[in-house]
Amino acid sequence: MTRLIFATNNPHKVEEIQAAIGSTLEVISLKQAGIEVEIPEPYDTLQENAAEKARVIYQLTGSDCFSEDTGLETEALAGAPGVHSARYAGQERSFEANMEKLLAELEGKTNRKARFRTVISLMLGGRPYFFEGICEGQILTRPRGDKGFGYDPVFQPLGSPLSFAQMSLEEKNRFSHRRKAAEQLVAFLRQQQSTHPQP
Ligand code: ITT
């Protein structure tokens, strides 16, 4: 089984990705790898931020690794909060404050269309590769449910009557942006292994 460091400080992401990919890949969190580092997200695109996170951890460890950057993009707000989702309401990165700000910005707007977009950056043998996953849906008028993290209570994926925060991890993964990107990562790694088998 391939072991890869997942360059994230968000334990929810580790749990969701490991559940999505099953046992084909063993994901080692930064915490499990004993790495304590504040990873920068200085750029204006998910792809550049994801690349930077993976690059920092690759430089630090010399090991193959991956990272991901995720944004919630709303149509009525021209893609906001997007790449700024984590700090939408300020530097303290509060899930509640971020949701409150989003609901306030969308107050009275009939277009509630939104999507989560995840970009995974894989560093393999020193080279970067990218994979994207999108989940379309809408922003509810008030939070519903208490599972998950981040904007989950206000996001309802297309095709479900529930918000992400009303779903189990397995249910969320049926729709999730992160699961879709992770599956592409796994498919790519499988293909690499079949064309360049390890001795
Ligand atoms: P790392 O950079 O350490 O991976 P992070 O929490 O800072 O973790 P992001 O910058 O990718 O991760 O996340 C942006 C924010 O978007 C995150 O703080 C959440 O509030 C929100 N978010 C990301 N994925 C989400 C999901 O699946 N459901 C709800 N909110 C999510």
Side-chain angles (χ1 to χ4, degrees):
M1 188 173 19
T2 309
R3 301 181 80 189
L4 275 184
I5 295 179
F6 183 8
T8 180
N9 286 315
N10 183 328
H12 300 279
K13 288 185 176 180
V14 180
E15 203 185 4
E16 287 187 11
I17 292 245
Q18 188 68 76
I21 60 183
S23 56
T24 43
L25 184 68
E26 190 186 353
V27 173
I28 315 290
S29 68
L30 286 183
K31 204 170 165 205
Q32 286 168 325
I35 299 166
E36 229 177 284
V37 53
E38 180 64 30
I39 312 172
E41 297 180 336
Y43 298 109
D44 287 334
T45 65
L46 297 176
Q47 177 162 341
E48 285 171 297
N49 280 333
E52 178 68 5
K53 290 190 244 190
R55 197 189 58 77
V56 166
I57 298 306
Y58 183 75
Q59 274 197 339
L60 209 64
T61 62
S63 301
D64 293 339
C65 63
F66 71 99
S67 71
E68 63 107 296
D69 206 36
T70 296
L72 176 60
E73 302 171 341
T74 60
E75 201 170 89
L77 302 176
V83 70
H84 306 296
S85 294
R87 294 182 175 81
Y88 192 40
Q91 285 306 316
E92 77 283 5
R93 303 168 56 102
S94 152
F95 292 157
E96 279 71 31
N98 285 340
M99 276 192 290
E100 263 171 43
K101 176 165 179 190
L102 181 63
L103 292 180
E105 297 283 338
L106 287 174
E107 178 95 51
K109 295 213 187 324
T110 48
N111 181 357
R112 317 283 301 185
K113 272 194 204 164
R115 62 181 199 173
F116 272 113
R117 193 157 66 87
T118 291
V119 176
I120 289 180
S121 171
L122 167 71
M123 284 292 278
L124 191 69
R127 285 188 58 191
Y129 301 88
F130 298 96
F131 311 93
E132 185 182 71
I134 289 175
C135 175
E136 303 281 354
Q138 61 162 337
I139 304 298
L140 298 166
T141 48
R142 67 179 78 91
R144 290 210 317 243
D146 54 12
K147 300 192 184 79
F149 71 103
Y151 297 90
D152 279 348
V154 294
F155 184 83
Q156 181 180 29
L158 210 64
S160 172
L162 304 178
S163 78
F164 266 167
Q166 292 174 306
M167 296 182 182
S168 65
L169 194 139
E170 290 71 27
E171 283 175 298
K172 178 178 173 182
N173 268 347
R174 289 224 311 270
F175 299 92
S176 149
H177 43 295
R178 181 163 295 110
R179 190 266 302 161
K180 290 174 189 168
E183 279 181 353
Q184 288 185 48
L185 167 71
V186 169
F188 174 80
L189 288 170
R190 281 217 181 101
Q191 188 203 344
Q192 289 287 306
Q193 274 170 356
S194 63
T195 43
H196 311 284
Q198 298 290 315

